[in-house]
Coordinates of all heavy atoms in Angstrom, one line a residue:
M81 N -117.9 -114.1 -169.4 CA -117.4 -114.8 -168.2 C -116.5 -115.9 -168.6 O -116.7 -116.7 -169.5 CB -118.6 -115.3 -167.4 CG -118.2 -115.7 -166.0 SD -119.7 -116.2 -165.1 CE -119.1 -117.5 -164.1
A82 N -115.3 -116.0 -167.9 CA -114.4 -117.1 -168.2 C -114.9 -118.4 -167.6 O -115.8 -118.4 -166.8 CB -113.0 -116.7 -167.6
N83 N -114.3 -119.5 -168.1 CA -114.7 -120.8 -167.7 C -114.0 -121.2 -166.3 O -114.6 -122.0 -165.6 CB -114.3 -121.9 -168.7 CG -115.2 -121.7 -169.9 OD1 -116.4 -121.4 -169.8 ND2 -114.6 -122.0 -171.1
L84 N -112.9 -120.6 -166.0 CA -112.2 -120.9 -164.8 C -112.5 -119.9 -163.7 O -112.6 -118.7 -164.0 CB -110.7 -120.9 -165.0 CG -110.1 -122.2 -165.6 CD1 -110.5 -122.5 -167.0 CD2 -108.6 -122.2 -165.5
T85 N -112.5 -120.3 -162.5 CA -112.6 -119.4 -161.3 C -111.5 -119.7 -160.4 O -111.3 -120.9 -160.0 CB -114.0 -119.6 -160.6 OG1 -115.0 -119.3 -161.6 CG2 -114.1 -118.6 -159.5
L86 N -110.8 -118.6 -159.9 CA -109.8 -118.8 -159.0 C -110.2 -118.1 -157.7 O -110.4 -116.8 -157.7 CB -108.4 -118.2 -159.5 CG -107.2 -118.3 -158.5 CD1 -106.8 -119.8 -158.3 CD2 -106.1 -117.5 -159.0
Y87 N -110.2 -118.8 -156.6 CA -110.5 -118.2 -155.3 C -109.1 -117.8 -154.7 O -108.2 -118.7 -154.7 CB -111.2 -119.2 -154.3 CG -112.6 -119.4 -154.7 CD1 -112.9 -120.4 -155.7 CD2 -113.6 -118.7 -154.1 CE1 -114.2 -120.6 -156.0 CE2 -115.0 -118.9 -154.5 CZ -115.3 -119.9 -155.5 OH -116.6 -120.1 -155.8
E88 N -109.0 -116.6 -154.3 CA -107.7 -116.1 -153.9 C -107.8 -115.0 -152.8 O -108.9 -114.6 -152.5 CB -106.9 -115.5 -155.1 CG -107.6 -114.4 -155.8 CD -106.7 -113.7 -156.8 OE1 -105.6 -113.4 -156.5 OE2 -107.2 -113.4 -157.9
L89 N -106.6 -114.6 -152.3 CA -106.5 -113.6 -151.3 C -105.4 -112.7 -151.6 O -104.4 -113.1 -152.1 CB -106.2 -114.3 -149.9 CG -106.0 -113.5 -148.7 CD1 -107.4 -112.9 -148.3 CD2 -105.5 -114.4 -147.5
E90 N -105.7 -111.4 -151.5 CA -104.7 -110.4 -151.8 C -103.4 -110.6 -151.0 O -103.5 -110.9 -149.8 CB -105.2 -109.0 -151.6 CG -104.6 -108.0 -152.5 CD -105.3 -106.6 -152.3 OE1 -106.5 -106.6 -152.4 OE2 -104.6 -105.7 -152.0
G91 N -102.3 -110.6 -151.7 CA -101.0 -110.7 -151.0 C -100.6 -112.1 -150.7 O -99.6 -112.4 -150.0
C92 N -101.4 -113.1 -151.2 CA -101.1 -114.5 -151.0 C -100.1 -115.0 -152.0 O -100.4 -115.0 -153.2 CB -102.4 -115.3 -151.1 SG -102.1 -117.1 -151.2
P93 N -98.9 -115.4 -151.5 CA -97.8 -115.8 -152.5 C -98.2 -117.1 -153.3 O -97.8 -117.3 -154.4 CB -96.6 -116.1 -151.6 CG -97.1 -116.3 -150.2 CD -98.4 -115.5 -150.1
Y94 N -99.0 -118.0 -152.6 CA -99.4 -119.2 -153.3 C -100.4 -118.9 -154.5 O -100.3 -119.5 -155.5 CB -100.0 -120.2 -152.3 CG -99.1 -120.5 -151.2 CD1 -99.3 -119.9 -150.0 CD2 -98.1 -121.4 -151.3 CE1 -98.4 -120.1 -148.9 CE2 -97.2 -121.7 -150.2 CZ -97.4 -121.0 -149.0 OH -96.6 -121.3 -148.0
C95 N -101.2 -117.9 -154.2 CA -102.1 -117.5 -155.2 C -101.4 -116.8 -156.4 O -101.7 -117.0 -157.6 CB -103.2 -116.5 -154.7 SG -104.0 -117.1 -153.2
A96 N -100.4 -116.0 -156.0 CA -99.6 -115.3 -157.0 C -98.9 -116.3 -158.0 O -98.8 -116.1 -159.2 CB -98.5 -114.5 -156.4
K97 N -98.4 -117.4 -157.4 CA -97.8 -118.5 -158.2 C -98.8 -119.1 -159.2 O -98.4 -119.2 -160.4 CB -97.3 -119.6 -157.2 CG -96.6 -120.7 -157.9 CD -95.9 -121.6 -156.8 CE -97.0 -122.5 -156.1 NZ -96.4 -123.4 -155.1
V98 N -100.0 -119.3 -158.8 CA -101.0 -119.8 -159.7 C -101.4 -118.8 -160.8 O -101.5 -119.1 -162.0 CB -102.3 -120.2 -158.9 CG1 -103.4 -120.6 -159.9 CG2 -102.0 -121.4 -158.0
K99 N -101.5 -117.5 -160.4 CA -101.8 -116.4 -161.3 C -100.7 -116.3 -162.4 O -101.0 -116.0 -163.6 CB -102.1 -115.1 -160.6 CG -103.4 -115.2 -159.8 CD -103.5 -114.0 -158.8 CE -103.8 -112.8 -159.6 NZ -104.2 -111.7 -158.6
T100 N -99.5 -116.4 -162.0 CA -98.3 -116.3 -162.9 C -98.5 -117.4 -163.9 O -98.3 -117.2 -165.1 CB -97.0 -116.4 -162.1 OG1 -96.9 -115.4 -161.2 CG2 -95.8 -116.4 -163.1
K101 N -98.8 -118.6 -163.5 CA -99.0 -119.7 -164.4 C -100.1 -119.5 -165.4 O -100.0 -119.7 -166.6 CB -99.1 -121.0 -163.6 CG -99.3 -122.3 -164.5 CD -98.2 -122.5 -165.5 CE -96.8 -122.7 -164.9 NZ -95.7 -122.9 -165.9
L102 N -101.2 -119.0 -164.9 CA -102.4 -118.7 -165.7 C -102.0 -117.7 -166.8 O -102.4 -117.8 -168.0 CB -103.6 -118.2 -164.9 CG -104.3 -119.2 -164.0 CD1 -105.1 -118.6 -162.9 CD2 -105.2 -120.0 -164.9
S103 N -101.3 -116.6 -166.4 CA -100.8 -115.6 -167.4 C -99.9 -116.2 -168.4 O -100.0 -116.0 -169.6 CB -100.1 -114.5 -166.7 OG -100.9 -113.9 -165.8
E104 N -98.9 -117.0 -167.9 CA -98.0 -117.7 -168.8 C -98.7 -118.5 -169.9 O -98.3 -118.5 -171.1 CB -97.1 -118.6 -168.1 CG -95.8 -118.1 -167.6 CD -95.1 -119.2 -166.7 OE1 -95.2 -120.4 -167.0 OE2 -94.5 -118.8 -165.7
L105 N -99.7 -119.2 -169.5 CA -100.5 -120.0 -170.4 C -101.6 -119.3 -171.1 O -102.3 -119.9 -172.0 CB -101.1 -121.2 -169.6 CG -100.1 -122.1 -168.9 CD1 -100.8 -123.1 -168.0 CD2 -99.3 -122.9 -170.0
D106 N -101.7 -118.0 -170.8 CA -102.7 -117.1 -171.4 C -104.1 -117.7 -171.3 O -104.9 -117.7 -172.2 CB -102.4 -117.0 -172.9 CG -102.9 -115.7 -173.5 OD1 -103.3 -114.8 -172.7 OD2 -103.0 -115.6 -174.8
V107 N -104.4 -118.1 -170.1 CA -105.7 -118.7 -169.7 C -106.6 -117.6 -169.0 O -106.1 -117.1 -168.0 CB -105.6 -120.0 -168.8 CG1 -107.0 -120.5 -168.4 CG2 -104.8 -121.1 -169.6
E108 N -107.8 -117.4 -169.5 CA -108.6 -116.4 -168.8 C -109.3 -117.0 -167.6 O -109.7 -118.2 -167.6 CB -109.7 -115.9 -169.8 CG -109.2 -114.9 -170.7 CD -110.3 -114.3 -171.5 OE1 -111.4 -114.2 -171.1 OE2 -110.0 -113.9 -172.7
Y109 N -109.6 -116.2 -166.6 CA -110.3 -116.8 -165.4 C -111.0 -115.6 -164.7 O -110.6 -114.5 -164.8 CB -109.2 -117.4 -164.5 CG -108.2 -116.5 -163.9 CD1 -108.3 -115.9 -162.6 CD2 -107.1 -116.2 -164.7 CE1 -107.4 -115.1 -162.1 CE2 -106.1 -115.3 -164.2 CZ -106.3 -114.8 -162.9 OH -105.3 -113.9 -162.4
D110 N -112.0 -116.0 -163.9 CA -112.6 -115.0 -163.0 C -112.0 -115.2 -161.6 O -111.6 -116.3 -161.2 CB -114.1 -115.3 -162.9 CG -114.8 -115.0 -164.2 OD1 -114.5 -114.0 -164.8 OD2 -115.7 -115.8 -164.5
S111 N -111.8 -114.0 -161.0 CA -111.2 -114.0 -159.6 C -112.2 -113.8 -158.6 O -113.0 -112.9 -158.7 CB -110.1 -112.9 -159.6 OG -109.7 -112.7 -158.3
V112 N -112.2 -114.6 -157.5 CA -113.0 -114.4 -156.4 C -112.1 -114.1 -155.2 O -111.4 -115.0 -154.8 CB -114.0 -115.5 -156.1 CG1 -114.8 -115.3 -154.8 CG2 -114.9 -115.8 -157.3
M113 N -112.2 -112.9 -154.6 CA -111.3 -112.6 -153.4 C -112.1 -113.2 -152.2 O -113.2 -112.8 -152.0 CB -111.1 -111.1 -153.3 CG -110.2 -110.6 -154.3 SD -108.5 -111.1 -154.0 CE -107.7 -110.5 -155.4
V114 N -111.4 -114.0 -151.4 CA -112.0 -114.5 -150.2 C -111.8 -113.6 -149.0 O -110.8 -112.8 -149.1 CB -111.5 -116.0 -149.8 CG1 -111.7 -116.9 -150.9 CG2 -110.0 -115.9 -149.4
P115 N -112.6 -113.6 -148.0 CA -112.4 -112.7 -146.9 C -111.1 -113.2 -146.1 O -110.8 -114.4 -146.2 CB -113.6 -112.9 -146.0 CG -114.6 -113.6 -146.8 CD -113.9 -114.4 -147.9
R116 N -110.4 -112.2 -145.4 CA -109.2 -112.6 -144.7 C -109.6 -113.5 -143.5 O -108.8 -114.4 -143.2 CB -108.6 -111.3 -144.2 CG -107.1 -111.4 -143.9 CD -106.4 -110.1 -144.0 NE -106.0 -109.7 -145.4 CZ -105.0 -110.3 -146.1 NH1 -104.2 -111.2 -145.5 NH2 -104.7 -109.9 -147.3
S117 N -110.8 -113.3 -143.0 CA -111.2 -114.2 -141.8 C -111.6 -115.6 -142.3 O -112.5 -115.7 -143.2 CB -112.3 -113.5 -141.1 OG -113.1 -114.4 -140.4
H118 N -111.0 -116.6 -141.7 CA -111.4 -118.0 -142.1 C -112.8 -118.3 -141.9 O -113.4 -119.0 -142.7 CB -110.5 -119.0 -141.4 CG -109.2 -119.2 -142.0 ND1 -108.9 -120.3 -142.6 CD2 -108.1 -118.4 -142.1 CE1 -107.6 -120.2 -143.1 NE2 -107.2 -119.0 -142.8
G119 N -113.4 -117.8 -140.8 CA -114.8 -118.1 -140.5 C -115.8 -117.5 -141.5 O -116.9 -118.0 -141.6
E120 N -115.3 -116.6 -142.3 CA -116.2 -116.0 -143.3 C -116.0 -116.6 -144.7 O -116.6 -116.2 -145.7 CB -116.0 -114.5 -143.4 CG -116.5 -113.8 -142.1 CD -116.1 -112.3 -142.1 OE1 -115.8 -111.7 -143.2 OE2 -116.0 -111.7 -141.0
R121 N -115.1 -117.5 -144.8 CA -114.8 -118.1 -146.2 C -115.7 -119.2 -146.5 O -115.3 -120.4 -146.8 CB -113.3 -118.6 -146.2 CG -112.3 -117.5 -146.1 CD -110.9 -118.0 -146.3 NE -109.9 -117.0 -145.9 CZ -108.6 -117.3 -145.9 NH1 -108.1 -118.4 -146.3 NH2 -107.7 -116.3 -145.6
T122 N -117.0 -119.0 -146.5 CA -118.0 -120.0 -146.6 C -118.1 -120.5 -148.1 O -118.2 -121.7 -148.3 CB -119.4 -119.5 -146.2 OG1 -119.6 -118.2 -146.8 CG2 -119.5 -119.4 -144.8
E123 N -117.9 -119.6 -149.1 CA -118.0 -120.0 -150.5 C -116.9 -121.0 -150.9 O -117.2 -122.0 -151.5 CB -118.0 -118.8 -151.4 CG -118.5 -119.1 -152.8 CD -118.5 -117.9 -153.7 OE1 -118.7 -116.8 -153.2 OE2 -118.4 -118.1 -154.9
V124 N -115.7 -120.6 -150.5 CA -114.6 -121.5 -150.9 C -114.6 -122.8 -150.1 O -114.3 -123.8 -150.7 CB -113.2 -120.7 -150.7 CG1 -112.8 -120.7 -149.3 CG2 -112.1 -121.4 -151.5
E125 N -115.2 -122.8 -148.9 CA -115.3 -124.0 -148.2 C -116.4 -124.9 -148.8 O -116.2 -126.1 -148.9 CB -115.7 -123.7 -146.7 CG -115.7 -124.9 -145.9 CD -115.7 -124.6 -144.4 OE1 -116.1 -123.5 -144.0 OE2 -115.4 -125.5 -143.6
E126 N -117.4 -124.3 -149.4 CA -118.4 -125.1 -150.1 C -117.9 -125.8 -151.3 O -118.2 -126.9 -151.6 CB -119.6 -124.2 -150.5 CG -120.7 -124.1 -149.4 CD -121.7 -123.0 -149.8 OE1 -121.9 -122.7 -150.9 OE2 -122.2 -122.4 -148.8
V127 N -117.0 -125.1 -152.1 CA -116.6 -125.7 -153.3 C -115.4 -126.7 -153.1 O -115.2 -127.6 -153.8 CB -116.2 -124.7 -154.4 CG1 -117.4 -123.8 -154.8 CG2 -115.0 -123.8 -154.0
S128 N -114.6 -126.4 -152.0 CA -113.4 -127.3 -151.9 C -113.3 -128.1 -150.6 O -112.4 -128.9 -150.4 CB -112.1 -126.4 -151.9 OG -112.0 -125.5 -150.8
G129 N -114.2 -127.8 -149.6 CA -114.2 -128.6 -148.4 C -113.1 -128.1 -147.4 O -112.9 -128.7 -146.4
Q130 N -112.5 -127.0 -147.7 CA -111.5 -126.4 -146.8 C -111.4 -124.9 -147.0 O -112.1 -124.4 -148.0 CB -110.1 -127.0 -146.9 CG -109.6 -127.1 -148.4 CD -108.8 -125.9 -148.8 OE1 -107.7 -125.7 -148.3 NE2 -109.3 -125.1 -149.7
T131 N -110.7 -124.2 -146.2 CA -110.8 -122.7 -146.3 C -109.5 -122.1 -146.8 O -109.4 -120.8 -146.9 CB -111.1 -122.1 -144.9 OG1 -110.1 -122.5 -144.0 CG2 -112.5 -122.4 -144.4
G132 N -108.5 -122.9 -147.2 CA -107.3 -122.3 -147.7 C -107.4 -121.9 -149.2 O -108.3 -122.4 -149.9
V133 N -106.6 -120.9 -149.6 CA -106.6 -120.5 -151.0 C -105.1 -120.6 -151.4 O -104.2 -120.5 -150.6 CB -107.1 -119.1 -151.1 CG1 -108.6 -119.0 -151.0 CG2 -106.4 -118.1 -150.2
P134 N -104.9 -120.8 -152.7 CA -105.8 -120.7 -153.8 C -106.6 -122.0 -154.0 O -106.2 -123.1 -153.6 CB -104.9 -120.6 -155.0 CG -103.6 -121.3 -154.6 CD -103.5 -121.0 -153.1
V135 N -107.8 -121.8 -154.6 CA -108.6 -122.9 -155.1 C -109.1 -122.6 -156.5 O -109.5 -121.5 -156.8 CB -109.9 -123.1 -154.1 CG1 -110.9 -124.0 -154.7 CG2 -109.5 -123.6 -152.8
L136 N -109.0 -123.7 -157.3 CA -109.4 -123.5 -158.7 C -110.7 -124.3 -159.0 O -110.8 -125.4 -158.6 CB -108.3 -124.0 -159.6 CG -108.5 -123.9 -161.1 CD1 -108.3 -122.4 -161.6 CD2 -107.7 -124.8 -162.0
V137 N -111.5 -123.7 -159.8 CA -112.7 -124.4 -160.3 C -112.6 -124.3 -161.9 O -112.4 -123.2 -162.4 CB -114.0 -123.7 -159.8 CG1 -115.2 -124.3 -160.5 CG2 -114.2 -123.8 -158.3
D138 N -112.7 -125.5 -162.5 CA -112.7 -125.6 -163.9 C -113.8 -126.6 -164.3 O -113.5 -127.8 -164.6 CB -111.3 -126.0 -164.4 CG -111.2 -126.0 -165.9 OD1 -112.2 -125.7 -166.6 OD2 -110.1 -126.3 -166.5
E139 N -115.0 -126.2 -164.3 CA -116.2 -127.1 -164.4 C -116.1 -127.8 -165.8 O -116.5 -129.0 -165.8 CB -117.5 -126.3 -164.3 CG -117.7 -126.0 -162.8 CD -119.0 -125.3 -162.5 OE1 -119.8 -125.0 -163.5 OE2 -119.3 -125.0 -161.4
E140 N -115.6 -127.2 -166.8 CA -115.6 -127.8 -168.1 C -114.8 -129.1 -168.1 O -115.0 -130.0 -168.9 CB -115.0 -126.8 -169.1 CG -115.4 -127.0 -170.5 CD -115.1 -125.8 -171.4 OE1 -115.8 -124.8 -171.4 OE2 -114.0 -125.9 -172.0
H141 N -113.8 -129.1 -167.2 CA -112.9 -130.3 -167.1 C -113.2 -131.1 -165.8 O -112.4 -131.9 -165.3 CB -111.5 -129.9 -167.1 CG -111.0 -129.4 -168.5 ND1 -111.0 -128.1 -168.8 CD2 -110.6 -130.1 -169.6 CE1 -110.6 -128.0 -170.1 NE2 -110.4 -129.2 -170.5
G142 N -114.4 -130.8 -165.2 CA -114.8 -131.6 -164.0 C -114.0 -131.2 -162.7 O -114.0 -132.0 -161.8
V143 N -113.4 -130.1 -162.7 CA -112.6 -129.6 -161.5 C -113.6 -128.7 -160.7 O -113.8 -127.6 -161.1 CB -111.3 -128.9 -161.8 CG1 -110.6 -128.4 -160.6 CG2 -110.4 -129.9 -162.6
E144 N -114.0 -129.2 -159.6 CA -115.1 -128.4 -158.8 C -114.5 -127.6 -157.7 O -115.2 -126.8 -157.1 CB -116.2 -129.4 -158.4 CG -116.9 -129.9 -159.6 CD -118.0 -130.9 -159.2 OE1 -118.0 -131.3 -158.0 OE2 -118.7 -131.3 -160.1
G145 N -113.3 -127.9 -157.3 CA -112.7 -127.1 -156.2 C -111.4 -127.7 -155.8 O -111.3 -128.4 -154.8
M146 N -110.3 -127.4 -156.6 CA -109.0 -127.9 -156.3 C -108.1 -127.0 -155.5 O -107.8 -125.9 -155.9 CB -108.3 -128.2 -157.7 CG -106.9 -128.8 -157.5 SD -106.0 -128.9 -159.1 CE -106.8 -130.2 -159.9
P147 N -107.7 -127.5 -154.3 CA -106.8 -126.6 -153.5 C -105.4 -127.0 -153.8 O -105.1 -127.9 -154.6 CB -107.2 -127.1 -152.0 CG -107.7 -128.5 -152.2 CD -108.2 -128.7 -153.6
E148 N -104.4 -126.4 -153.1 CA -103.0 -126.7 -153.2 C -102.4 -126.1 -154.5 O -102.6 -126.6 -155.6 CB -102.7 -128.2 -153.1 CG -102.8 -128.7 -151.7 CD -101.9 -128.0 -150.7 OE1 -100.8 -127.7 -151.0 OE2 -102.3 -127.9 -149.5
S149 N -101.6 -125.1 -154.3 CA -101.1 -124.4 -155.5 C -100.2 -125.2 -156.4 O -100.3 -125.1 -157.6 CB -100.2 -123.2 -155.0 OG -99.2 -123.6 -154.1
D150 N -99.4 -126.1 -155.8 CA -98.6 -127.0 -156.6 C -99.4 -127.9 -157.5 O -99.1 -128.1 -158.7 CB -97.7 -127.9 -155.8 CG -96.5 -127.1 -155.2 OD1 -96.2 -126.0 -155.7 OD2 -95.9 -127.6 -154.2
D151 N -100.5 -128.4 -156.9 CA -101.4 -129.3 -157.7 C -102.1 -128.5 -158.8 O -102.3 -129.0 -159.9 CB -102.5 -129.9 -156.8 CG -101.9 -130.9 -155.8 OD1 -100.8 -131.3 -156.0 OD2 -102.6 -131.3 -154.8
I152 N -102.5 -127.3 -158.5 CA -103.2 -126.4 -159.5 C -102.2 -126.1 -160.6 O -102.6 -126.2 -161.8 CB -103.7 -125.1 -158.8 CG1 -104.7 -125.4 -157.8 CG2 -104.3 -124.2 -159.9 CD1 -105.2 -124.2 -156.9
V153 N -101.0 -125.7 -160.3 CA -100.0 -125.4 -161.3 C -99.8 -126.6 -162.3 O -99.8 -126.5 -163.5 CB -98.7 -124.9 -160.7 CG1 -97.6 -124.9 -161.7 CG2 -98.9 -123.5 -160.1
E154 N -99.6 -127.8 -161.6 CA -99.4 -129.0 -162.4 C -100.6 -129.3 -163.3 O -100.5 -129.6 -164.5 CB -99.2 -130.2 -161.4 CG -98.7 -131.4 -162.1 CD -98.5 -132.5 -161.1 OE1 -98.1 -132.3 -159.9 OE2 -98.7 -133.7 -161.5
Y155 N -101.8 -129.1 -162.7 CA -103.1 -129.3 -163.5 C -103.1 -128.4 -164.7 O -103.5 -128.8 -165.8 CB -104.3 -129.1 -162.6 CG -105.6 -129.0 -163.4 CD1 -106.2 -130.1 -163.9 CD2 -106.1 -127.7 -163.6 CE1 -107.3 -130.0 -164.7 CE2 -107.3 -127.6 -164.3 CZ -107.9 -128.7 -164.9 OH -109.0 -128.6 -165.6
L156 N -102.8 -127.1 -164.5 CA -102.9 -126.1 -165.5 C -101.9 -126.5 -166.7 O -102.2 -126.3 -167.8 CB -102.6 -124.7 -165.0 CG -103.7 -124.1 -164.1 CD1 -103.2 -122.9 -163.4 CD2 -104.9 -123.8 -164.9
E157 N -100.7 -126.9 -166.3 CA -99.7 -127.2 -167.3 C -100.2 -128.4 -168.1 O -100.1 -128.4 -169.3 CB -98.3 -127.6 -166.6 CG -97.5 -126.3 -166.3 CD -96.3 -126.6 -165.4 OE1 -96.2 -127.7 -165.0 OE2 -95.5 -125.7 -165.3
E158 N -100.7 -129.4 -167.4 CA -101.2 -130.6 -168.1 C -102.4 -130.3 -169.0 O -102.5 -130.9 -170.1 CB -101.6 -131.7 -167.1 CG -100.5 -132.4 -166.5 CD -100.9 -133.3 -165.3 OE1 -102.1 -133.4 -165.1 OE2 -100.0 -133.9 -164.7
T159 N -103.2 -129.4 -168.5 CA -104.5 -129.2 -169.3 C -104.4 -128.1 -170.3 O -105.0 -128.2 -171.4 CB -105.6 -128.8 -168.3 OG1 -105.6 -129.8 -167.2 CG2 -107.0 -128.8 -168.9
Y160 N -103.6 -127.1 -170.0 CA -103.6 -125.9 -170.9 C -102.2 -125.7 -171.5 O -102.0 -124.7 -172.3 CB -104.1 -124.7 -170.2 CG -105.5 -124.8 -169.8 CD1 -105.9 -125.1 -168.5 CD2 -106.5 -124.6 -170.7 CE1 -107.2 -125.2 -168.1 CE2 -107.9 -124.7 -170.4 CZ -108.2 -125.0 -169.0 OH -109.5 -125.2 -168.7
G161 N -101.2 -126.5 -171.1 CA -99.8 -126.3 -171.6 C -99.7 -126.7 -173.0 O -100.6 -127.4 -173.6
S162 N -98.6 -126.4 -173.7 CA -98.4 -126.7 -175.1 C -98.3 -128.2 -175.4 O -98.6 -128.6 -176.5 CB -97.2 -126.0 -175.6 OG -96.1 -126.3 -174.8
A163 N -97.9 -128.9 -174.3 CA -97.8 -130.4 -174.5 C -99.1 -131.1 -174.5 O -99.2 -132.2 -174.9 CB -96.9 -130.9 -173.4
S164 N -100.2 -130.4 -174.1 CA -101.5 -131.0 -174.0 C -102.2 -131.1 -175.4 O -101.8 -130.4 -176.3 CB -102.4 -130.3 -173.1 OG -102.7 -129.0 -173.5
Ligands
LIG233 N1 -99.9 -125.5 -149.3 C1 -100.9 -124.5 -149.7 C2 -100.7 -123.3 -148.8 C3 -101.7 -122.2 -149.1 C4 -101.8 -121.2 -148.0 O1 -101.1 -121.3 -147.0 N2 -102.6 -120.2 -148.2 C5 -102.9 -119.2 -147.2 C6 -103.1 -117.9 -147.8 S1 -101.5 -117.3 -148.5 C7 -104.2 -119.7 -146.6 O2 -105.3 -119.6 -147.2 N3 -104.0 -120.2 -145.5 C8 -105.1 -120.7 -144.7 C9 -105.2 -122.2 -144.7 O3 -104.3 -122.9 -145.2 O4 -106.2 -122.7 -144.2 C10 -100.7 -124.2 -151.2 O5 -99.6 -124.3 -151.7 O6 -101.8 -123.9 -151.8

């Protein structure tokens, strides 16, 4: 099991952006597909306090539920990029 978990939705362009960055950086992660219905997105709401995706969990680095694709991409570059 990978250390990172990405909550995502099929066909979500913001999720695709994060996945591209994870691949670029060669970072392994587990994927959790959230239901299309917002009312059923209880798990992602529990970890991040909202129902939007993508959401990243990286417990090893104290990230318990980070929303916003731009923030996630920036975090991944800072944490797993070659400059880190
Ligand atoms: N600004 C957000 C937008 C994400 C977004 O709109 N995600 C869609 C799926 S593609 C979603 O979950 N929308 C529901 C919501 O925002 O509550 C980001 O860049 O992460």
